[in-house]
Amino acid sequence: MLSVIIPAYNEKLNIEHSYQRISDILSSQNIDFEIIYIDDGSTDGTWTQISSISGADSTIHGVRFSRNFGKEAAIFAGLEKAEGECVAVIDCDLQHPPEKLVDMFRLWEAGFEVIEGVKSDRGNESLIHGAFAKLFYKIINTASDIDMERASDFKLLDRKAVNVLLNMKEKNAFFRALSSWVGFSTTSVEFEVEERISGESKWSSWALMKYAVNNITSFSSAPMQIVTFLGVIMLIISVVLGMNSLIQKINGTALGGFTTVIIIELFVGSIIMISLGVIGIYISKIYEEVKARPRFIITDEL
Ligand code: UDP
Ligand code: MG
């Protein structure tokens, strides 16, 4: 059986539609499936929609969070609830074409264990959004050695890979990268990002920025190492400037060097602040993990 996980946050208008499209396509291909909608603390009528289709069709399950926990949490809740031998994750707005689920499923039948949906283009993104996304992917590509630029959350995973993900203790998991990190026999299916069928993207620029920092720091400690690197550079600069000042002192041409003092002061100050900030991010991460709070809280299940 194929379990299809659909995270939904304020997607009232897309529930019915996605259900129809996905179940039509899968049943026409004689694929045995279940669909699990995760209502990520929606405040519109998303849960009512899910309950009504789940009441009419026993292949539809619903899980409702007590508040918005984010898409990653929703995906993990879905992985936990899924009972299929393989599990797919797809967006509720059908920006991931559901026809590709069939291709993915066939590849799984052919023996592949991780089938990644890869974007052939990035769809319509605003200029700033696109530039930020580029920068984010550049950092995470180099930091994690995984090509993330065209990666998406649209994937199909074998039970083996799902169990590995479920057994991970880290709370701040980054699904998109972890699914390739686990290894197994992997292949990919290209898809074109479609227009959102209705509603708007749930990501503000601020949310995206938080998401980027969160995921880069949970996948790599490179930013923390940069701090050391900056420190070394500063040391070299200080030695050079220090010698320079000494020579000036000896030559009796000291004083008048206030510009240098100010520049050094500012430079050192800002590097220390940035460094403390970076260290702070990691410490808060450790703090989050140590608290070991659940990734999500479920209030209702269908
Ligand atoms: N989503 C979610 N929780 C959130 C934000 C988004 O479950 O906090 C879901 C959303 O309902 C959709 C998918 O994640 O099914 C992708 O979200 P969206 O379309 O807003 O992102 P984009 O396609 O713009 O990257
Ligand atoms: Mg979308």
Side-chain angles (χ1 to χ4, degrees), residues 91 93 95 196:
D91 276 3
D93 53 10
Q95 282 189 298
R196 214 167 204 288

Side-chain angles (χ1 to χ4, degrees), residues 85-192:
E85 295 83 59
C86 59
V87 181
V89 179
I90 187 168
D91 276 3
C92 194
D93 53 10
L94 295 186
Q95 282 189 298
H96 301 153
E99 295 76 24
K100 295 284 176 187
L101 277 178
V102 179
D103 300 354
M104 290 178 161
F105 187 78
R106 299 293 172 224
L107 283 166
W108 175 75
E109 283 181 323
F112 287 102
E113 288 154 328
V114 175
I115 298 113
E116 315 245 11
V118 172
K119 296 173 191 158
S120 54
D121 66 87
R122 297 195 47 91
N124 289 333
E125 274 177 346
S126 75
L127 211 65
I128 303 177
H129 191 141
F132 258 123
K134 253 217 155 64
L135 180 68
F136 166 59
Y137 287 122
K138 217 184 158 71
I139 297 174
I140 202 147
N141 284 352
T142 16
S144 62
D145 282 330
I146 300 169
D147 178 16
M148 297 293 304
E149 170 109 45
R150 292 153 70 224
S152 69
D153 287 328
F154 186 27
K155 296 175 195 292
L156 189 144
L157 305 176
D158 184 74
R159 174 55 44 195
K160 268 194 264 176
V162 172
N163 287 345
V164 172
L165 290 181
L166 288 178
N167 282 329
M168 290 199 180
K169 284 199 207 76
E170 61 188 273
K171 294 288 179 290
N172 260 312
F174 181 30
F175 178 69
R176 197 173 293 192
L178 276 181
S179 62
S180 50
W181 178 86
V182 294
F184 294 111
S185 94
T186 305
T187 186
S188 58
V189 168
E190 287 219 357
F191 71 92
E192 283 189 15

Side-chain angles (χ1 to χ4, degrees), residues 11 71 91-96 193-194 196 200-203:
E11 302 276 9
K71 187 178 178 186
D91 276 3
C92 194
D93 53 10
L94 295 186
Q95 282 189 298
H96 301 153
V193 180
E194 293 183 17
R196 214 167 204 288
E200 18 183 80
S201 176
K202 304 295 178 291
W203 297 94

